[in-house]
Amino acid sequence: MKSYIVGNWKMNFTVGESSVYLHKLSARVHAYRDIEVVVAPSFISLQPLSLQLDRKKIRLAAQTANARDFGAYTGEVSMAQLRGIVDYCIIGHSERRQLFHETDKCVRSAVAAALRNQIRPILCVGETETERTFGETCDVLRDQVLGGFSEVSTEDLEKVIVAYEPVWAISTTSGAKIAGPDDVAEAVKFIRRIIAVAYGKEISEKVAVLYGGSVSPANAGAYLTVPGVNGLLVGGASLIADKFIDIIETAKRVKS
Ligand code: 13P
């Protein structure tokens, strides 16, 4: 299976800065057969970057999008509007769920809307510190994974990418801790088991599962060698092109 290295820029960079960054990245990465390099800039940068981009090397993701196609929804951007501009969309990121009150229903509809518009969903799941402390991690992951997959047709199941991002390990979370490779291995195994029980073992082995949360050039290799991990969703470290390139190069080394 391919590895995915995805940089989530969150609400950072102007259009000009995004373009300069992409220029630098394009000059340093190659077209890899087995690694998909993806960056997720703000909405306003997507269209100009899509014109600048060499899709053989780098792909674009949106950070969220509305599940409805068109209509009177002031300020929203839909999957239908992003069709042809992005190849991926991050859906249900914990910051969207917590700060913007995105519900499981929004997430579920957005996954279906992405697929309907030829966009691959990157479905984020992960427990908070409190949920972990109360032993609720498995319940949270089961609800988020099954919820996210619930409107996906059988033939589209393997297009969904799951990103396990424990909220307590995200660098901007106050008092963030680092998730150990064993924590990640256990959660990723559990996620695949949920998918296997619901949709069969074959599908569970075809769905890519990424890890995200305080990924850096120093720990990328350790996460990428966790069994069942097919890539990384990188926040803070993806804002510095050299660090992001370092992580891509680590992925290349792990692959070979
Ligand atoms: P950090 O890599 O900054 O912890 O962010 C993770 C994340 O939220 C990526 O989506």
Side-chain angles (χ1 to χ4, degrees), residues 6-10 90 93-95 124 163 165-167 169-173 176-177 211-216 232-239:
V6 185
N8 177 8
W9 294 354
K10 307 192 180 184
I90 298 171
H93 191 280
S94 59
E95 285 149 20
C124 297
E165 293 210 316
V167 181
I170 293 179
S171 67
T172 44
T173 304
K177 302 181 179 78
Y211 170 70
S214 300
V215 172
S216 68
L232 301 169
L233 181 51
V234 188
S238 77
L239 297 178

Side-chain angles (χ1 to χ4, degrees), residues 161-220:
I161 297 172
V162 177
Y164 172 58
E165 293 210 316
V167 181
W168 48 271
I170 293 179
S171 67
T172 44
T173 304
S174 69
K177 302 181 179 78
I178 302 280
D182 290 349
D183 298 319
V184 177
E186 199 183 325
V188 167
K189 196 164 148 202
F190 184 69
I191 289 168
R192 283 197 200 280
R193 187 149 13 104
I194 298 165
I195 301 170
V197 169
Y199 304 104
K201 195 163 185 307
E202 199 184 326
I203 292 291
S204 77
E205 285 164 359
K206 286 185 177 162
V207 169
V209 182
L210 318 185
Y211 170 70
S214 300
V215 172
S216 68
N219 62 25

Side-chain angles (χ1 to χ4, degrees), residues 96-109:
R96 301 296 313 170
R97 293 182 194 257
Q98 291 191 331
L99 306 173
F100 302 99
H101 314 294
E102 268 183 18
T103 60
D104 282 341
K105 185 174 177 313
C106 296
V107 171
R108 186 184 335 147
S109 313

